[in-house]
Structures are given as structure tokens and as C-alpha cells.
Amino acid sequence: MLLSPYIGWRAIQGDERDAWIRTVAIAFAATGGTNFRRADLTDADFTSATLKSTDMRKATLTRTCFYQTQKLDRVRLGITYIKDAQVRQLLITRQGQAQTFDRKNLRGVNLQGANLADASFIGADLSQANLQDTDLSRAKLVQTQLDYTDLTGATLTGACIEDWGITPETQLNGVQCEYVFMRLADNLDPNPRRKPDDWNKNFEDGEFSDFIAPMVQTLDLYHNQVDDPRLIAMAFQQLTETHPDAELDIVSIEKRGKHRDKVLIRAETSPQANHSELHHDYFTTYNELQALSPAALQQLLAEKDGQVKRLTGLLEAAIKRLSISAQTYNNQGDTMSESKGNISITSGDGSKISGLAGAGESITGSAIGEISGTVSVAINELPESPEPDKPGIKELLAQLQAAIEAEAHLDEDDKAEALEQVKMLAEAGQNPQEKGNQKMAKRATTMLKGIIVGLPTAATLFEAWNKVQPLITKSFGL
């Protein structure tokens, strides 16, 4: 009896040890109160309302306004985002400056006009949120999901937007932004990848939206750690089967992170695809696969078709690039010059790597020449076009090889990677109608597309690819 008042007070204050007491008390108090259970409260406005003893279990709270509400902590919450005490306080006060909301589920919150300067939202889900006129100056938006989020009039000056998940449906009208950072700052590099690159220049009004627009066309699947590439392949295959209308097509597999130990998969989708739903479904499946026992996983793998195995091989080839090492070189920033030392590139098992480079390493000119030579050999083994006035696979690939080697906007690493894909096309071109070769050709064209898509439209290779790619596709019957 003596402890009861103290325990009751502790439960009301939100002590996790007594959460069950709090839940029972609120449920009892809500009996006969206002009932919004299962109600659609999308865009509803509860500004300054008193919500004590209100039942909001299973209610739809998309962009619902809770600004300056009273007794929001006494609501019967269910599993909505207002279950989080920190989030409740943010919704009521709209003051989140310099606070940390990493990996929180903030999907559908209404933070219009909130002060979120210097706040951290690393890995958080802010999809479908109302962030109109919100101050996100210097905010950490690393891997933050912003599908269908309204950022109209928001301030993003100084924000870090590394791998953020914006989509064509993200509203960026009137965004105020003088500059952003493309990488998260650390002690070694406090100002990484500033855009615009010139520290004496800032974005003019409206320029930021134009700058970021080309980056919103893909579904981005970011992995902090990859223990088993097969899980990624299986999860992606499941996603394509579950959402056939999304027309998913991988365009690139990129290494990320300070130590290049993280992987970002970019996939093209149909214009109407819901990126937020796709992202959620993919990682739900991926996490379920991670929880399987080794025996259950092996059995599941045995049941999967060849597409999973092929994608696994592609992922493993990309991830192996993480273990590439360079010996006997002089590091000049992020590049190495042939005149400063000889580079020997080997994989973790000691085998030679052709055309690939890891973090901080660059393929030398001589290595590019060696790769180009092997590509030329593969192309020359193809038959000549039977029609002199119409180029065949051999002639098309020769054109593509020349354009890659001459492209000034590609660094040596990307040239090497692109040439490797041309070599794969040449090998597949020995029998272009064979099903396995067609799939190999499709994978190679997808990888090339991922390399070329970031080039300026005036680039020589960009123009050459637009002319050659449809003919290559037709030659392989894709």
C-alpha cells in the first residue's frame, strides 16, 4: 500500500518497468471517452485540443496535426508513432533542434514549420510526412526515407543528404538551400562532398531542386552490412515477384561508407511504383531471411530458380571489390599515378582482379590498356555483319568500346568497369540467341546503363550509348 502511490506516479511518468500498469490505467480511463479507433484521421487538425482518455488504436494518423495538444500522453495509443514519448513531445512543441531521431518510425508525421535544425534522422522513415516550411538546416538526413514527403518551403542549407530516399513523389517546391553535403562529416573530413563544390558559391533560388532531380529516379536499397549476398538476391527476387507492375531492374551496385564496407543497390522502377512500399517490403523480406536457420536457408535456396543464383553471382562479384588491395604505390589523395609507382591489384584469395578498383585505388593507364586489349580480342572473335550498310554486334561493340575509352567524364575505374561489361557482351555475342547469353547480355547492359546514366547528356559516351543500346538490345532479342 505504501509503494502503490510511488509505482503509480512512476507509471504515469512513462517508466518502462511499469508500462503495463500505465497501459491498463489508460485503457480503464478511456472507457466512455472519445473513440477514434480505426478512424481515418488523415490531415485532421487537433491543434490545442485536449485528448485525455481518447482511443486512437489502429487509427490512420497520416499528417495528423497534434500541435500544442494537451494530455497526448494519456491517449490510448496502440502501435502508432505517438507511442514514442520523444516523438509525442516533438509533435506537440515542434521543437526538435539538435535532437536525435535515428531509425525512428516517423512515417506520416505532421511537423509543418518545426525547428529541426541540427537534428539527426539517420535511417529514419519520414515517408508521407508534412515537412512544409520546416527548418532542417544542417540536419543529418542520411538514409532517411522521404517517399511522398512534402518538403515545400523547407530549409535544407547545410544538411547531409547521403543516400537519402527521395522519389519523384517527394515535393521539393520552394526548398531553401544554399548548399548540402553528400557525405556525413567525420573527424578526418569535416566537410565532405559539398555541393556546389566551390565553397565560394551557393545554389541560386530554385537550383537545388534542379540539381537533385536526376537523383530521384531509382529505388535505393542501402545495406550497412552484407554477410550473405544470397539474402539480397532472394529478397530482391521476391520483391519482383510480389510487385510485377513495378518493373524492377537493377541499374547499379555501389560500394559506400568510409571503409567501403556498405552496399547500395539502385533499381529502376515504373513511374507509378510506390517506392516507400517497395522499400518496406524488401527489407521486411530481407530481415525475415536473416532470421532463418542455416538449414532452413539452404533448403529455401535449393528451391529458388536460376535468377537468384545469377543475381547472387553479380552481387558477389561487386562485393569482392571491397577486399582489393594495392601494393607499392604512392597515394595522391584518392588517385594513383602510373609514374609514381606500380600497382598490383589482387583479391583476398590472391587471384588477379582485372578492371576493378577498391576504395582509394585507381586503375592505371597501363591497366586500362590491358583491359582494352582483352576486350578487343573478344570483339574480334565475333563475325562481321552480313550487311555492310548495317552494323552487327561486332561493329556496335567496337563503337561502344571506342566511346568508353575516349570519354573524358569517366574516371579510370568506371572505364575499366564499363569495358568489362563490353567484354561480357562480346562473349555473349558468340551465340546471341542462346537463353543464357541473352541473360548475360541483359545484365551487362544494365550495368552499363548504371555507369552511363550519371554522365552529362552532352557527353560523347552518353550520345553513343543512346544510339548503340537499342541496336544491341535488338541484336540479342531482349
Side-chain angles (χ1 to χ4, degrees):
M1 290 176 63
L2 292 173
L3 286 174
S4 293
Y6 169 69
I7 293 174
W9 172 84
R10 199 168 63 180
I12 291 297
Q13 296 303 311
D15 195 306
E16 292 297 327
R17 293 173 295 178
D18 306 300
W20 67 275
I21 297 177
R22 175 186 176 84
T23 301
V24 171
I26 291 177
F28 180 78
T31 302
T34 305
N35 186 1
F36 287 118
R37 188 174 185 182
R38 294 191 178 89
D40 185 356
L41 299 175
T42 298
D43 295 314
D45 189 353
F46 288 101
T47 299
S48 299
T50 300
L51 298 174
K52 180 180 178 181
S53 303
T54 302
D55 189 347
M56 288 190 174
R57 289 176 297 167
K58 298 184 179 181
T60 301
L61 301 179
T62 304
R63 299 181 301 276
T64 306
C65 179
F66 292 103
Y67 183 52
Q68 295 184 341
T69 55
Q70 307 295 318
K71 306 297 183 181
L72 185 59
D73 59 333
R74 308 295 175 85
V75 169
R76 198 168 187 186
L77 305 172
I79 57 173
T80 60
Y81 53 73
I82 54 177
K83 186 176 182 180
D84 188 306
Q86 185 188 20
V87 175
R88 285 200 303 270
Q89 189 65 17
L90 175 62
L91 293 170
I92 294 170
T93 65
R94 294 187 176 174
Q95 297 298 313
Q97 184 174 12
Q99 294 185 33
T100 299
F101 302 95
D102 294 351
R103 296 171 184 82
K104 286 188 180 292
N105 180 11
L106 301 170
R107 188 183 186 88
V109 297
N110 188 330
L111 294 172
Q112 183 173 359
N115 180 3
L116 301 174
D118 299 293
S120 179
F121 294 93
I122 298 174
D125 187 357
L126 277 164
S127 298
Q128 301 181 35
N130 181 354
L131 300 180
Q132 294 180 24
D133 303 315
T134 299
D135 186 358
L136 288 161
S137 303
R138 302 172 301 281
K140 297 181 180 67
L141 300 175
V142 180
Q143 303 166 39
T144 307
Q145 294 304 307
L146 295 161
D147 186 28
Y148 282 92
T149 301
D150 191 348
L151 287 161
T152 301
T155 300
L156 290 172
T157 298
C160 175
I161 61 172
E162 179 179 356
D163 297 324
W164 69 341
I166 60 174
T167 70
E169 285 71 34
T170 305
Q171 298 298 314
L172 296 168
N173 300 324
V175 166
Q176 304 298 311
C177 183
E178 296 180 1
Y179 59 91
V180 291
F181 295 103
M182 307 304 292
R183 293 288 182 271
L184 189 62
D186 56 30
N187 293 332
L188 297 177
D189 190 359
N191 300 304
R193 297 282 301 278
R194 181 190 188 271
K195 298 295 179 181
D197 296 284
D198 187 345
W199 280 74
N200 296 313
K201 294 184 178 180
N202 294 327
F203 289 120
E204 300 292 339
D205 288 345
E207 279 190 348
F208 174 74
S209 297
D210 295 336
F211 160 74
I212 209 67
M215 304 170 63
V216 305
Q217 305 302 322
T218 58
L219 171 67
D220 296 345
L221 304 172
Y222 187 89
H223 297 77
N224 280 307
Q225 183 177 345
V226 180
D227 296 320
D228 190 341
R230 297 175 301 177
L231 302 185
I232 297 177
M234 294 169 66
F236 190 84
Q237 179 67 12
Q238 179 64 40
L239 192 68
T240 61
E241 294 173 357
T242 306
H243 299 276
D245 294 339
E247 300 176 7
L248 291 159
D249 186 14
I250 292 179
V251 296
S252 68
I253 302 171
E254 306 171 16
K255 298 180 300 180
R256 292 298 180 93
K258 179 180 177 181
H259 302 291
R260 311 290 277 176
D261 54 351
K262 307 178 190 332
V263 173
L264 173 65
I265 299 173
R266 296 187 186 275
E268 283 188 349
T269 68
S270 59
Q272 70 274 13
N274 185 328
H275 284 211
S276 178
E277 181 183 0
L278 291 170
H279 188 277
H280 177 269
D281 288 357
Y282 171 83
F283 279 103
T284 297
T285 302
Y286 182 75
N287 293 333
E288 289 173 351
L289 290 170
Q290 280 188 311
L292 291 177
S293 66
L297 178 61
Q298 195 62 37
Q299 181 179 353
L300 188 59
L301 283 168
E303 298 171 356
K304 291 297 179 181
D305 59 19
Q307 180 64 21
V308 168
K309 295 178 181 178
R310 284 186 289 275
L311 180 54
T312 299
L314 182 63
L315 287 160
E316 288 175 340
I319 293 169
K320 279 181 181 178
R321 297 170 65 179
L322 303 176
S323 61
I324 293 172
S325 61
Q327 300 172 343
T328 319
Y329 65 90
N330 291 325
N331 194 348
Q332 304 294 323
D334 289 331
T335 63
M336 291 175 288
S337 171
E338 182 182 3
S339 62
K340 296 294 182 180
N342 297 320
I343 300 175
S344 175
I345 302 178
T346 56
S347 65
D349 59 3
S351 59
K352 185 176 180 181
I353 302 293
S354 297
L356 301 176
E361 296 133 16
S362 178
I363 303 296
T364 64
S366 60
I368 285 291
E370 181 181 344
I371 295 167
S372 182
T374 61
V375 175
S376 296
V377 170
I379 292 175
N380 287 332
E381 291 178 355
L382 295 170
E384 303 281 348
S385 171
E387 303 178 55
D389 58 332
K390 292 184 180 180
I393 296 178
K394 181 177 182 177
E395 291 75 20
L396 293 172
L397 294 182
Q399 293 176 29
L400 186 57
Q401 178 189 8
I404 291 170
E405 293 171 356
E407 181 52 62
H409 291 90
L410 283 182
D411 60 26
E412 299 301 294
D413 298 341
D414 286 336
K415 283 186 180 181
E417 179 65 32
L419 288 172
E420 286 290 339
Q421 304 309 318
V422 174
K423 181 182 176 183
M424 286 183 62
L425 286 171
E427 292 171 350
Q430 296 289 341
N431 188 359
Q433 302 307 314
E434 197 273 323
K435 191 172 182 180
N437 286 344
Q438 288 180 333
K439 291 181 178 179
M440 184 166 67
K442 182 177 181 180
R443 183 164 64 245
T445 53
T446 296
M447 295 299 289
L448 281 168
K449 189 191 305 180
I451 296 170
I452 295 169
V453 71
L455 295 176
T457 55
T460 303
L461 178 56
F462 191 93
E463 295 178 358
W465 174 251
N466 284 338
K467 294 178 182 177
V468 171
Q469 189 261 340
L471 298 174
I472 292 176
T473 301
K474 183 178 179 181
S475 298
F476 283 97
L478 302 179

